[in-house]
Amino acid sequence: MQRYVAEFIGTFWLVLGGCGSAVLAAAFPEVGIGLLGVSLAFGLTVLTMAFAIGHISGCHLNPAVSVGLWIGGRFEGRDLLPYVMAQVLGAIAAAGVLFVVASGQPGFAIDPAAAGAFATNGFGTHSPGGYSLVSALVIEVVLTALFLFVILGATDNRAPDGLAPIAIGLCLTLIHLISIPVTNTSVNPARSTGMALFVGGAAVQQLWLFWVAPVVGALLGALSYRWVGQR
């Protein structure tokens, strides 16, 4: 139970920090942090939580990561469903907090038809850059695969001790720098689910892609590292 609670708190922090920076600070008048700031915020949430709970739960914070670590032989299958449930609930709770905070600003309203509304993920007219379903599918699969490859490599017992959180956090930052214009960056089904539930409409209708693509990518990344990194 301690591990599940740690995953809930960790995923809550990821969504609150990453999506919160996008909702509250990205375009704030005159001092907005922009795409670079949002990308860094996501990386920092993982980096800080990896040091805080990595020794408790492994700091997955992401159903795709849990699936990838299971396929990679680093995680027990019996814990997969409880981890995913804790991660999704943590993401929903953080999205709820962000909604309460954001709604305190005069004139606040969520337009479900707007691309990236309330930091949601999407493709087509709901992609920040208008990218197609195929573009979204490819970028989410490829980047999640590489994310798992980095995670498995950085946490290998042959890797330098104590530096895995830095490598993983910077990897997630880079992932966001690449793909925010395409899908608003998911690579994390829990993060996508939490925000989409407060927007509805197309954000929920397109949510399937942000479960399927990251999980497929995680499988590919884990299998690739198992082959490349085998002894």
Side-chain angles (χ1 to χ4, degrees), residues 18-19 27 35 49 56 64 66 83 98 103 138 171 177 196 204 211 213 216 221:
C19 294
L35 186 153
M49 269 298 160
I56 299 172
S66 295
Y83 263 54
L98 284 175
S103 62
V138 170
C171 181
L177 288 172
V204 173
W211 275 88
V216 170

Side-chain angles (χ1 to χ4, degrees), residues 11 14-15 19 42 62-63 88 91-92 95 118-122 140 183-199 203-204 206-211 214:
T11 311
L14 182 143
V15 174
C19 294
F42 272 99
N62 181 339
V88 171
I92 294 171
F118 200 55
T120 51
N121 304 112
E140 289 286 332
T183 61
N184 221 16
T185 308
S186 173
V187 301
N188 186 335
R191 165 261 190 272
S192 297
T193 301
M195 303 306 287
L197 292 180
F198 284 85
V199 176
V204 173
Q206 296 186 352
L207 188 58
W208 65 269
L209 185 140
F210 302 104
W211 275 88

Side-chain angles (χ1 to χ4, degrees), residues 99-223:
F99 182 83
V100 170
V101 173
S103 62
Q105 184 182 47
F108 170 79
I110 296 176
D111 180 4
F118 200 55
T120 51
N121 304 112
F123 54 85
T125 58
H126 298 280
S127 157
Y131 287 85
S132 69
L133 185 155
V134 172
S135 296
L137 179 65
V138 170
I139 200 72
E140 289 286 332
V141 169
V142 171
L143 291 181
T144 310
L146 291 169
F147 191 36
L148 262 295
F149 195 90
V150 169
I151 290 171
L152 288 166
T155 56
D156 194 304
N157 57 19
R158 295 168 291 176
D161 290 337
L163 298 180
I166 298 172
I168 295 168
L170 289 176
C171 181
L172 189 61
T173 298
L174 179 57
I175 285 170
H176 280 78
L177 288 172
I178 296 168
S179 60
I180 285 178
V182 183
T183 61
N184 221 16
T185 308
S186 173
V187 301
N188 186 335
R191 165 261 190 272
S192 297
T193 301
M195 303 306 287
L197 292 180
F198 284 85
V199 176
V204 173
Q205 294 166 11
Q206 296 186 352
L207 188 58
W208 65 269
L209 185 140
F210 302 104
W211 275 88
V212 172
V215 169
V216 170
L219 292 173
L220 294 175
L223 291 173

